[in-house]
Amino acid sequence: MAREATPEDRTAAEPVARPSLGERRRTALRLDIAREAVRLFTSQGVTGTTGEQMAQAVGISARTLWRHFPTKESCVLPLLAAGLDAAMEQLRHWPPHTGLLDFLDRSWSHGTLLAPDPAVLDLIRMTPAEPALRSVWLQAHDDALPVLGALLAHRSGRSPEDLRVKVHAATLNGALRAAAEDFAQRFGDAPDTAAGELTACLRTALLAASEGLPY
């Protein structure tokens, strides 16, 4: 007997409205600012970088930059959010009745696994020594949690408010974050030559998550 369509099913089936030209330009500008912020943070440190320098690098006024972001560290959030959005989009292609590890292996073998963004890796590598950047990195994952929860709820036929769905989403979210941090720290200098290592990091993190607590 077919499962009755839920509100989540109907929402997932509805076409997504294309953003307006103004929204696309705003998104593009925010990403430009984020990339310039990472470049400057990497080359001269977070403390040594000013909002005025970031604005100048993008070709806007400092006043315009501060209309988009409350702090210089928060300028990197769109880059992190874009990476997580891309990961969520890839998970939407996770076939039914296929384990996540099998889907990961298949994506790697078919060359469809997302390539690591060098700018994001540079940023992640800075987070242990920069509490404000660490806060933004954690915020990006916290913002992605409801999206991941909705995706898992739709896949399982449960409500996003189901405690099991929340725990599964939090577990998967944490595994993805830990894998990204491990990969960035160990292979961030050469992401193009270590793409296979990203799969290995993801596998290790997901296996650890699926094993449950060791006590």
Side-chain angles (χ1 to χ4, degrees), residues 61-87:
S61 68
R63 183 177 180 179
T64 298
L65 183 141
W66 298 131
R67 281 205 302 266
H68 286 270
F69 301 101
T71 66
K72 63 182 179 182
E73 292 87 359
S74 66
C75 290
V76 303
L77 183 57
L79 188 59
L80 296 174
L84 287 169
D85 285 347

Side-chain angles (χ1 to χ4, degrees), residues 39 46 70 75 81 96 101 133 208:
R39 182 183 66 80
V46 177
C75 290
L101 289 175
L133 289 182

Side-chain angles (χ1 to χ4, degrees), residues 167-192:
V167 171
H168 292 159
T171 301
L172 180 53
N173 190 308
L176 293 174
R177 178 173 60 80
E181 291 173 356
D182 184 74
F183 178 82
Q185 295 298 334
R186 295 197 290 135
F187 305 102
D189 287 328
D192 293 337

Side-chain angles (χ1 to χ4, degrees), residues 3 26 38 42 46 59-60 62 99 116 118 137 142 144-145 190 193 209:
R3 178 172 62 87
R26 180 176 181 273
V38 174
T42 303
V46 177
I60 61 176
W137 170 233
D142 191 59
L145 191 55
T193 60

Side-chain angles (χ1 to χ4, degrees), residues 195-214:
E197 296 294 343
L198 177 58
T199 305
C201 288
L202 288 169
R203 280 190 62 87
T204 300
L206 291 171
L207 280 171
S210 65
E211 288 167 357
L213 297 175

Side-chain angles (χ1 to χ4, degrees), residues 91-130:
L91 284 174
R92 289 188 179 94
H93 297 283
W94 177 11
H97 312 299
T98 300
L100 183 54
L101 289 175
D102 290 337
F103 173 59
L104 176 65
D105 289 338
R106 187 179 305 173
S107 297
W108 163 244
S109 64
H110 292 170
T112 57
L113 188 69
L114 289 173
D117 186 329
V120 173
L121 296 180
D122 286 341
L123 179 56
I124 294 173
R125 289 163 65 192
M126 285 187 278
T127 59
E130 297 288 348

